Amino acid sequence: MVGELEKLEELERREKLRWAFRLRRRLIIGLVFLYALSVVARLVTPRLTVLAFLLLFFAINEFREWLFRRRLAESVATRVLIVGEICAVVLAIYCSGGAESFLLPLSVLQIVGITVHVSYDFGWICAYVSTAAFSLVNILEFLGLAPHSPLFLSAPDGAAVYFRQTPIASGDPWRAFCYLVVATVGYGFTLSLTAYASGYINQKIKVREELLERAYSLQSAMWRLSDSLLGEFSVKSGAQILSTWMVHDLGYSSCVVELGLADNGFERTAHPPDFATDGELARLYSLRPANGEPAHTAGQQYLPLLRGEESLGWVVLGCAHRPGEEEMAILDTATNQFLSFLEKARSHQEIVKLSITDELTGIFNHRHFVAHLRQEVERARRYGQPAALLLMDLDHFKRVNDVYGHLAGDAVLKGLARRIQKSVRTTDLVARYGGEEFIVLAPQTDLGSAEMLAERLRHVVSESPLPADDRDLAVSISVGVAEVLVDRAQTDTDLMRIADSRLYRAKSAGRNRVIASSPDH
């Protein structure tokens, strides 16, 4: 981000300089044209020296632009050329009437351009150089070492009254001296005031530009954070985005995002990744403010993540200084964006959970199981690993609904789901397949192990009654077991068909039993 701003600033500066070169070119051409017209109209004294110095100014300007295009505009030679431009303008002023010259505003524009486009200090230096050069030619004229050059043909007097193109002894030295002092002081004061005013205005503009650039930079950073969090739904990934953003975009040395979990533990995400060692995390944890308010302690800024009165965690920043009001406002905005993301992620997780969970029993539903089964069959066949499928049906469940009611039936289904869930491994997937049918997908399990698992489940279900509304009911299950045959072109549909067939045989054989083989075995 900083690099992009520096590039934009450099492009803007170069565009300003390019504009200044073009302005000076057009101004010089316009002044030459104006002077030529005045000479043709016999309004001013024709002097080739005026045109010569203006053309010298034009040539130096063109040479400076040539250096600028080759990125040599910051060299010492360029500053020497600027001083040469000033001297050329002063000589053109002298040759066109001195204090009476129509070119005097050109010096003012020169100082403005130098102060704005080069530097404030160099603008003052050039104002002094221009004043000194103007004073020098006036002194030479005063001493009779240089001829007076009146501007207008119709004005033989004017400054000539005081100089008469003669040494001091043959003229009126006092009046000539006063004229010299007034012209020089007026010229120098005008240029000094121009340098100060243009420098002051330019400084104000730069301050405003810096404020605008900072505001734009912060706004762009906020947009990047918002855009990064917009398409993300993982809490861990969102915390990583926030911690990385705090370090890269806002310049903090480190950032640890600590989020509370449902089991009263904590999940911590840090940037840089190697910053948050176990010892460092323990230290940061011990220094958290007890009152849940933002605080700056031991080189760390603690920002609470609050949702109403509920504390969701902390953002801990590596920050040697205590943030001011403006910085705290930025941090508050960032943490509020992250809190909005957490709310969105929580809602998304709930929606995902609802879409894959059976509403009654709380275990996975049929759609999620089918999608997972397809992936597991592909994995088992690709890597030659065993996997088994257990399809279960609650025996005589219709009688439970008919005799005890549907509320009792729902209670039995919930209790059965809980028992199955507790009796299998954490790697096994349990789902409600439909109605009173339940299904278990057991990865890394061959047919023999799957049959033993099915027998254990059957025993767990039948050994003790299940609570059903205001009573306990003894129930049993029938189970059909199928194995993924890795050496055959078997699909998930084939596996389900086998398990369903064996379940049907178990029920036909009297229920409360497990069938794990085909009829011909």
Side-chain angles (χ1 to χ4, degrees), residues 38-39 41-47 96 100 148-161:
S38 301
V39 170
R42 301 185 60 80
L43 297 176
V44 298
T45 306
R47 287 189 176 85
S96 57
E100 306 168 352
H148 177 65
S149 304
L151 176 64
F152 298 104
L153 290 172
S154 58
D157 293 323
V161 172

Side-chain angles (χ1 to χ4, degrees), residues 396-421:
H396 302 296
F397 180 68
K398 184 177 184 301
R399 185 184 305 169
V400 174
N401 282 334
D402 293 343
V403 175
Y404 303 104
H406 287 84
L407 291 179
D410 290 347
V412 169
L413 292 175
K414 291 178 183 177
L416 178 59
R418 284 194 296 270
R419 284 195 184 181
I420 296 173
Q421 190 79 61

Side-chain angles (χ1 to χ4, degrees), residues 121-141:
D121 293 336
F122 193 62
W124 274 100
I125 292 173
C126 290
Y128 293 146
V129 169
S130 183
T131 303
F134 186 78
S135 302
L136 178 62
V137 293
N138 278 337
I139 290 173
L140 292 176
E141 188 176 349

